[in-house]
Amino acid sequence: MKTCLVVDDSRVIRKVSRRILEDLGFEVAEAADGVEAMAWCTAVMPDVILLDWQMPVMDGLQFVKRLRSEPGGDRPKVVFCTVENSLERISEALNAGADEYIMKPFDGSIVAGKLEYLGLCA
């Protein structure tokens, strides 16, 4: 079973994301910020990370840069899921190491489409 780490400071977003991902057959873990997420990835590297940008402690951009420098940190697919919607911010995220980008609000079909595009679900 493929694993997904949902990283968002909003408990509601994590819960909605978990439901969508479990319906797609993923085992799901959650983190409320980049520091929690990094600790999780150090212990068990997930197949995919659904990542918010604006979070306390360590934001999504800082997290993805650090993740990509860690051993095995190049393996997970990282999908930013955020309200940041300017082309400059999207480019910044992709250049930092993100694989894809979803704008909030989102639904199950959007998440499924992105994960299918990344080869993570049928």
Side-chain angles (χ1 to χ4, degrees):
M1 180 179 281
K2 294 208 181 294
T3 58
C4 181
L5 177 61
V6 177
V7 187
D8 199 300
D9 57 325
S10 166
R11 194 173 142 271
V12 171
I13 295 293
R14 291 194 312 267
K15 186 175 183 175
V16 169
S17 299
R18 172 183 286 276
R19 187 174 310 124
I20 290 168
L21 291 159
E22 286 177 344
D23 286 349
L24 293 171
F26 284 84
E27 183 178 323
V28 181
E30 300 176 19
D33 61 52
V35 171
E36 270 186 47
M38 191 53 66
W40 179 265
C41 290
T42 301
V44 180
M45 198 64 77
D47 296 302
V48 64
I49 300 168
L50 198 62
L51 180 65
D52 186 25
W53 192 309
Q54 298 176 2
M55 297 178 292
V57 187
M58 180 191 295
D59 70 22
L61 195 64
Q62 293 169 319
F63 169 80
V64 75
K65 289 177 180 178
R66 181 155 170 219
L67 173 73
R68 294 307 193 204
S69 70
E70 295 292 316
D74 58 334
R75 188 176 67 81
K77 298 294 185 185
V78 175
V79 180
F80 263 97
C81 183
T82 181
V83 296
E84 296 287 346
N85 62 7
S86 72
L87 280 176
E88 295 81 21
R89 296 297 265 182
I90 294 169
S91 292
E92 187 177 4
L94 296 173
N95 289 334
D99 296 286
E100 262 302 334
Y101 208 91
I102 295 173
M103 287 179 223
K104 292 177 181 174
F106 59 89
D107 62 22
S109 65
I110 292 169
V111 173
K114 290 292 184 176
L115 295 177
E116 185 176 332
Y117 173 78
L118 292 171
L120 293 163
C121 63

